[in-house]
Amino acid sequence: MSTPTSDPAIIAEELILLDADLGASKDAVIERLSELLATAGRATDAAPLREAALAREAQSATGLPGGIAIPHCRTEAVTSASLGFARLDPKVDFGAPDGPADLVFLIAAPAGAGSAHMKLLSSLARALVKPEFVTALRDAPSPAGIVALVEGVINPAAKAPAKTPAKAAAPSGPEASAPAATSTAKHIVAVTACPTGIAHTYMAADSLVAAGERAGVTVNVETQGSSGSTALDPALIEGAEAVIFATDVGVKGKERFAGKPVVSSGVKRAINEPDVMVTEALRAAENPDAARVSGTAAAAGSAGTGAGELGWGTRIRQILLTGVSYMIPFVAAGGLLIALGFLLGGYEIKDVAEDIVVNNSLTSLPTGGLTAYLGAVLFQIGALSFSFLVPALAGYISYAIADRPGLAPGFTAGAVAVLVGAGFIGGLVGGLIAGFVALWISRWKIPTVLRGLMPVVIIPLFATLIVGGIMFLVLGKPLAAITSGLTNWLNGLTGSSIIILGIILGLMMCFDLGGPVNKAAYAFATAGLSVTDTASLRIMAAVMAAGMVPPLALALASAVRPKIFTEAERENGKAAWFLGAAFISEGAIPFAAADPLRVIPSMMAGGAVTGALIMAMDVTLSAPHGGIFVFFAVGGILWFLAALAAGTIVSAVLVIAAKQFVKGKNSPTEAELDPDLVTA
């Protein structure tokens, strides 16, 4: 393997800082290393590289045991895969369990990085679990020494492959797993994967392999990362004592491990506690009640949670968010098309759209001409897309529990919920029932000859029959009554009641800026669009307006009082104007992640004001997304703008006051502030 000749070497002396003071926070270190890469021509601009690295940092800290940190990202701003390195003095906290880091690699890859580059970067990540390599980095007298060390681990021509990692994780060549497949020695299989797939994936793999050697057991790992992976040999999986899933994302092909005792965790635990995880896996192999990977590729789970298994609270949240995330594209596409239909054909189009599209054409236009016809077509396409909202929600909730065999019963449960009038609530309940019924059926002990029919015939057939029967015979009418009662209650809200609902929705939208609470409020609003009653349209307006507040408020605050924000935050503020205008609440995340205790409460206050005003003034919205780009779908546009402005100003004033008068550990230092602004 060698670096492509058209690109510069991944690391060079100008990308290295030794024994440097880069500030007191990880944000400052990442910013300085981003600037280093940009100055060297490795990135078009430091700002997007920094933001991509900080966004990855917000997902999970990149600090590792032993004083190491590996902030990393992929972004269009990077022109060639590169490493920025700093040996820090003083150390800086990157969230490692054993304290701050003095060795920091900023791993930067282009958005479309080729497999050759990704393998080079993953080779570095693997080397960082070796104590001798880390010690050599600390002792290197010059940047040239660092370059030589790094080249030695990423370039096989410079140094022979280390025998442990090469044999262990995710075989990448023809020699990979054949010998191990025929071995009778006790062994464990594992899968490691992280969202970016550059560093943690491979470090976790090698940590588990090394821990297995210490425990006297072979660990064979499949790395599902950016440099590609070769699936574990089926014979290895068949003979394994247990399986370890150390992932922050879904496991690809989980059905291959069906029936195996399992230990599950996030990818960082495999780096921090590999010996513990191997021990837990060996114990699970000897425990008949241990959690096992289901026969249908569902996430491992049994009544007794095995060591290291995800808790059911976290699991249920992941299941519900999976359903919501798959539902949202139907909502966005359908809702926007419906809104465009209203724009062209007027609100009365909903009563005649189906008749128009069936009985008219471009050569036989209805009353109202081409505009009415196109409005009807857009509305009907949107309505059909929207009709999948509840089935998709239920289907993918079931999928999150029981994988592919759960899709048919889940979608059926959602369709039944629509038919009986149980709506969004019925979809939630039906999807959960369908998934757990499919999971239960997958554990039936049946003759081996029938096992091949389980995922494609037996599970979908019986799960669909059972959940359909439960929904029709038992739960349909009660859930429909709850849905109808909720709708009637919303329509009947007046005065202070409707204002309180607006406050609650505003608080939820600004609490975690795209997280589970924000998504719950958004899902509640979009589900109501399918009935397009006045109360539901007001809820949608409140949710969108409140969600626009945080990025707009922080953009305003950083423009009005720039001296209390870091340079990075001021740059973020410029982008936040557009993000807020387009209803992308995540534009406020860099501010909230850096200073949550002062930013988030300020944003929630403004969101509550906006939500209350929207409700009080009967503002409506018939589109589920788009911000300023769907103002044509707003009923009461002046009040919408007034409510949005009020919330934005309130949040901006509060965050300025909090940063000005309430000192916190996240307050920017004078080194982080613009000297001209500080003295102004």
Side-chain angles (χ1 to χ4, degrees):
M1 183 194 311
S2 61
T3 305
T5 57
S6 59
D7 291 331
I10 278 184
I11 191 167
E13 293 185 35
E14 65 266 23
L15 305 181
I16 296 170
L17 298 173
L18 295 184
D19 306 317
D21 182 354
L22 301 188
S25 70
K26 62 182 180 181
D27 290 18
V29 174
I30 290 173
E31 180 173 3
R32 182 68 184 89
L33 287 174
S34 298
E35 292 171 349
L36 195 67
L37 291 178
T39 301
R42 304 304 185 97
T44 57
D45 186 9
L49 171 57
R50 178 191 65 238
E51 295 312 317
L54 291 176
R56 172 61 186 87
E57 200 76 22
Q59 293 179 335
S60 63
T62 56
L64 303 171
I68 304 166
I70 49 166
H72 54 278
C73 66
R74 286 185 291 175
T75 172
E76 296 285 355
V78 176
T79 56
S80 64
S82 302
L83 297 171
F85 174 75
R87 194 165 66 196
L88 301 178
D89 184 14
K91 298 180 179 181
V92 173
D93 184 11
F94 274 78
D98 61 345
D102 62 333
L103 302 178
V104 181
F105 278 99
L106 175 59
I107 305 176
S115 61
H117 274 145
M118 299 312 299
K119 287 177 180 178
L120 293 178
L121 296 176
S122 65
S123 296
L124 169 70
R126 286 174 158 169
L128 289 172
V129 302
K130 303 174 187 176
E132 63 273 16
F133 178 68
V134 175
T135 299
L137 290 174
R138 289 196 170 98
D139 293 340
S142 66
I146 299 292
V147 171
L149 286 168
V150 174
E151 286 289 345
V153 298
I154 66 175
N155 189 346
K159 182 176 180 179
K163 62 182 180 180
T164 297
K167 182 173 80 171
S172 57
E175 78 287 357
S177 58
T182 60
S183 173
T184 58
K186 181 181 292 188
H187 69 278
I188 295 169
V189 291
V191 175
T192 61
C194 74
T196 311
I198 296 176
H200 289 91
T201 299
Y202 305 98
M203 298 181 74
D206 288 353
S207 295
L208 289 172
V209 170
E213 290 183 345
R214 290 190 291 270
V217 60
T218 300
V219 179
N220 298 280
V221 188
E222 178 179 315
T223 53
Q224 297 181 352
S226 296
S227 63
S229 65
T230 300
L232 287 166
D233 190 309
L236 273 175
I237 298 174
E238 179 67 25
E241 304 294 319
V243 58
I244 294 173
F245 291 146
T247 70
D248 291 334
V249 292
V251 176
K252 300 174 185 175
K254 192 184 290 186
E255 66 273 6
R256 296 170 294 152
F257 305 91
K260 291 294 179 185
V262 65
V263 172
S264 298
S265 77
V267 69
K268 283 194 69 176
R269 185 170 186 247
I271 301 172
N272 296 339
E273 302 177 356
D275 297 279
V276 175
M277 292 196 73
V278 169
T279 300
E280 290 173 352
L282 293 173
R283 289 175 180 169
E286 299 173 356
N287 180 5
D289 297 323
R292 293 177 181 269
V293 183
S294 82
T296 62
S302 69
T305 303
E309 181 69 6
L310 297 177
W312 270 110
T314 300
R315 183 81 182 100
I316 291 295
R317 185 188 67 188
Q318 291 177 342
I319 288 167
L320 296 178
L321 285 178
T322 297
V324 170
S325 67
Y326 278 104
M327 176 197 78
I328 284 176
F330 292 96
V331 173
L336 289 170
L337 287 169
I338 288 173
L340 289 170
F342 286 149
L343 177 66
L344 293 179
Y347 282 96
E348 66 277 3
I349 199 69
K350 66 179 184 295
D351 300 321
V352 296
E354 184 175 355
D355 181 66
I356 289 175
V357 298
V358 170
N359 298 308
N360 296 95
S361 67
L362 287 172
T363 59
S364 178
L365 295 173
T367 303
L370 181 62
T371 301
Y373 179 68
L374 293 178
V377 169
L378 290 171
F379 178 89
Q380 199 60 36
I381 295 173
L384 290 171
S385 175
F386 227 91
S387 68
F388 287 99
L389 187 156
V390 174
L393 173 71
Y396 284 102
I397 285 176
S398 181
Y399 169 81
I401 299 169
D403 209 78
R404 285 175 292 180
L407 282 172
F411 270 86
T412 301
V416 172
V418 173
L419 182 63
V420 301
F424 184 74
I425 296 174
L428 284 172
V429 175
L432 289 169
I433 294 173
F436 285 113
V437 168
L439 184 62
W440 169 62
I441 294 173
S442 72
R443 294 173 176 169
W444 288 358
K445 296 186 181 299
I446 65 172
T448 304
V449 70
L450 296 178
R451 290 299 298 178
L453 296 177
M454 283 290 282
V456 294
V457 177
I458 296 174
I459 297 172
L461 171 62
F462 286 98
T464 299
L465 176 63
I466 292 171
V467 72
I470 291 173
M471 291 295 291
F472 270 126
L473 302 176
V474 181
L475 296 178
K477 288 186 177 180
L479 290 174
I482 293 172
T483 300
S484 177
L486 177 61
T487 301
N488 293 335
W489 174 69
L490 290 174
N491 281 320
L493 285 175
T494 58
S496 60
S497 298
I498 194 72
I499 292 174
I500 290 172
L501 178 60
I503 291 172
I504 293 172
L505 291 171
L507 292 171
M508 292 176 69
M509 287 301 295
C510 300
F511 174 68
D512 54 359
L513 304 171
V517 176
N518 172 286
K519 285 290 188 291
Y522 182 71
F524 175 62
T526 55
L529 287 181
S530 59
V531 293
T532 61
D533 57 73
T534 301
S536 298
L537 298 182
R538 282 190 292 179
I539 290 171
M540 189 70 251
V543 163
M544 183 178 290
M548 295 168 70
V549 165
L552 291 176
L554 289 162
L556 177 62
S558 61
V560 172
R561 294 286 288 166
K563 75 175 186 178
I564 61 174
F565 292 90
T566 66
E567 182 180 353
E569 288 172 332
R570 293 193 295 274
E571 289 299 318
N572 289 332
K574 296 174 184 177
W577 285 113
F578 174 78
L579 296 175
F583 180 40
I584 301 174
S585 303
E586 289 84 350
I589 287 178
F591 296 89
D595 194 2
L597 295 181
R598 289 182 292 183
V599 170
I600 291 177
S602 303
M603 298 305 105
M604 290 174 68
V609 169
T610 294
L613 289 174
I614 290 286
M615 289 298 199
M617 299 304 153
D618 292 332
V619 179
T620 60
L621 175 62
S622 57
H625 214 293
I628 62 173
F629 301 104
V630 292
F631 273 2
F632 63 84
V634 176
I637 184 65
L638 293 179
W639 277 115
F640 184 96
L641 293 173
L644 178 60
T648 298
I649 292 170
V650 167
S651 284
V653 169
L654 289 176
V655 78
I656 288 171
K659 284 182 170 289
Q660 188 79 31
F661 303 112
V662 181
K663 295 299 181 183
K665 67 177 184 179
N666 298 103
S667 299
T669 64
E670 290 205 7
E672 296 174 301
L673 297 173
D674 188 321
D676 294 333
L677 294 173
V678 173
T679 57

